């Protein structure tokens, strides 16, 4: 069973619509009411709150203004937004944890159970169907950003990571031009957070495809845009290269793609 991240992007407030029903029609894995638990890290423990019961086949919307522990800080030009994780459980957890718990719910493996995760401004909102699972500390990220918009839009790269450990750690996110392989910049990103990097300052053109590489941290990458004049929002995320592999071993395919790009970018 996955977690569902709740966080803000700049001044745009986050929301999660959590559903207590099965993700498909052939595995009835969500029968009966479930407890809703929320988790946030204080950099030492995962602190847990009981948010009550969610009835079978029911929906409930959770919004960031309802969670006092959500805050943001600036770190060398990167905005670090704290995250709350929501989870459906059969039991209650009543004490802080040294790592995120394993689910005791029966799970379907494809598709995974998902929630509607989104953000809203005064006159616009965006969302996606998703979930998030902890990544190993030694994992890496290679992703591209084809979603930059021009003229009336502020553009951001949003990198979301969670790990089982509540302890804070940092990693370097490197930014490259894909065609030339030239390194443009690097930013420090933090685990168990949403890391928001401004892209407009780099002067990308429609012919540029930025590449983002993080050697010691993986997560979910997003492109986020906000209209300067109207405040309208856009949100997109890329899929890992393995998801585009039709035949053979998908993990080996992704490994080979990463190796080729690491060589092209001359990453040590």
């Amino acid at each position: 069973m996955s977690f569902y991240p709740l966080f803000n992007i700049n001044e745009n407030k986050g929301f999660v619509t959590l559903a207590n029903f099965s993700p498909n029609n052939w595995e009835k894995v969500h029968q009966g009411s479930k407890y809703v638990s929320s988790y946030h890290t204080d950099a030492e423990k995962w602190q847990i709150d009981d948010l009550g019961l969610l009835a079978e086949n029911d929906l409930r919307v959770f919004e960031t203004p309802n969670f006092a522990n959500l805050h943001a800080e600036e770190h060398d030009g990167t905005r670090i937004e704290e995250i709350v994780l929501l989870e459906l459980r059969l039991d209650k957890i009543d004490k802080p944890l040294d790592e995120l718990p394993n689910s005791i719910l029966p799970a379907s493996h494809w598709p995974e159970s998902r929630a509607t995760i989104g953000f809203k401004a005064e006159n616009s909102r965006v969302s996606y169907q998703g979930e998030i699972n902890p990544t190993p500390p030694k994992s890496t990220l290679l992703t591209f950003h084809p979603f930059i918009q021009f003229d009336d839009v502020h553009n951001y790269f949003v990198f979301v990571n969670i790990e089982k450990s509540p302890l804070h750690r940092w990693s370097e996110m490197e930014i490259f031009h894909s065609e030339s392989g030239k390194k443009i910049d690097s930013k420090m990103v933090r685990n168990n957070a949403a890391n928001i990097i401004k892209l407009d300052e780099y002067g990308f053109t429609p012919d540029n495809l930025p590449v983002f590489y993080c050697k010691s941290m993986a997560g979910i990458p997003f492109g986020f845009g906000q209209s300067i004049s109207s405040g309208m929002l856009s949100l997109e995320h890329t899929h890992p290269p393995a998801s585009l592999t039709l035949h053979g071993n998908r993990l080996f395919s992704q490994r080979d793609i990463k190796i080729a790009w690491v060589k092209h970018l001359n990453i040590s």
Side-chain angles (χ1 to χ4, degrees):
M1 186 67 186
S2 304
F3 298 92
Y4 307 103
L6 178 65
F7 59 96
N8 298 319
I9 296 181
N10 300 331
E11 303 307 317
N12 303 290
K13 303 303 181 185
F15 64 89
V16 169
T17 303
L18 195 58
N20 182 18
F21 50 76
S22 297
N24 56 52
N25 294 328
W26 56 91
E27 295 173 292
K28 301 299 183 181
V29 299
H30 283 271
Q31 296 178 332
S33 297
K34 305 293 187 299
Y35 292 103
V36 181
S37 295
S38 72
Y39 306 82
H40 70 274
T41 175
D42 61 6
E44 296 181 357
K45 299 277 188 179
W46 284 105
Q47 302 295 330
I48 305 161
D49 291 308
D50 173 27
L51 303 181
L53 282 169
L54 183 60
E56 182 179 352
N57 295 326
D58 199 4
L59 302 169
R60 188 181 305 169
V61 179
F62 299 87
E63 299 182 313
T64 53
N66 302 130
F67 294 84
N69 52 284
L70 284 171
H71 61 275
E73 63 180 42
E74 295 288 333
H75 182 84
D76 193 27
T78 300
R79 186 177 176 91
I80 312 297
E81 294 275 6
E82 297 291 343
I83 285 180
V84 164
L85 300 174
L86 302 177
E87 184 192 27
L88 291 173
R89 297 189 63 83
L90 293 176
D91 61 341
K92 293 182 181 181
I93 301 176
D94 56 6
K95 62 181 180 180
L97 297 177
D98 291 323
E99 64 176 33
L100 287 172
N102 294 320
S103 175
I104 61 173
L105 287 178
S108 64
H109 297 288
W110 190 262
E112 293 191 73
S113 296
R114 293 186 161 179
T116 298
I117 301 165
F119 308 90
K120 58 183 180 180
E122 183 178 356
N123 58 354
S124 178
R125 65 172 59 199
V126 290
S127 64
Y128 68 99
Q129 298 294 310
E131 78 292 321
I132 192 167
N133 293 290
T135 58
K138 294 184 179 180
S139 52
T140 63
L141 171 82
L142 171 70
T143 191
F144 305 88
H145 193 297
F147 304 119
I148 292 179
Q149 303 173 74
F150 299 94
D151 299 326
D152 185 47
V153 179
H154 286 314
N155 294 276
Y156 303 89
F157 176 73
V158 181
F159 171 64
V160 183
N161 164 280
I162 66 165
E163 297 174 350
K164 284 208 164 187
S165 170
L167 305 180
H168 288 175
R169 73 180 186 93
W170 295 84
S171 186
E172 182 184 19
M173 180 72 71
E174 298 178 273
I175 308 171
F176 298 85
H177 275 299
S178 61
E179 185 174 3
S180 67
K182 179 182 177 182
K183 182 176 177 178
I184 303 169
D185 199 2
S186 64
K187 296 286 188 180
M188 297 305 294
V189 293
R190 208 201 77 196
N191 68 336
N192 298 322
N195 301 270
I196 302 169
I197 299 173
K198 299 176 183 178
L199 297 179
D200 298 332
E201 61 192 63
Y202 299 119
F204 291 116
T205 70
D207 296 327
N208 299 146
L209 178 64
V211 184
F212 294 82
Y213 181 78
C214 191
K215 187 175 183 179
S216 61
M217 192 178 293
I220 301 176
F222 294 94
F224 184 79
Q226 185 161 14
S227 168
I228 298 169
S229 61
S230 69
M232 299 294 287
L233 307 177
S234 66
L235 180 72
E236 299 285 349
H237 73 88
T238 58
H239 296 279
S243 66
L244 305 178
T245 303
L246 298 179
H247 304 287
N249 190 309
R250 297 175 70 187
L251 293 180
F252 282 149
S253 174
Q254 182 154 303
R255 181 202 64 182
D256 291 344
I257 292 172
K258 281 188 175 182
I259 290 173
W261 274 98
V262 166
K263 182 178 179 180
H264 173 65
L265 301 174
N266 196 28
I267 297 172
S268 58

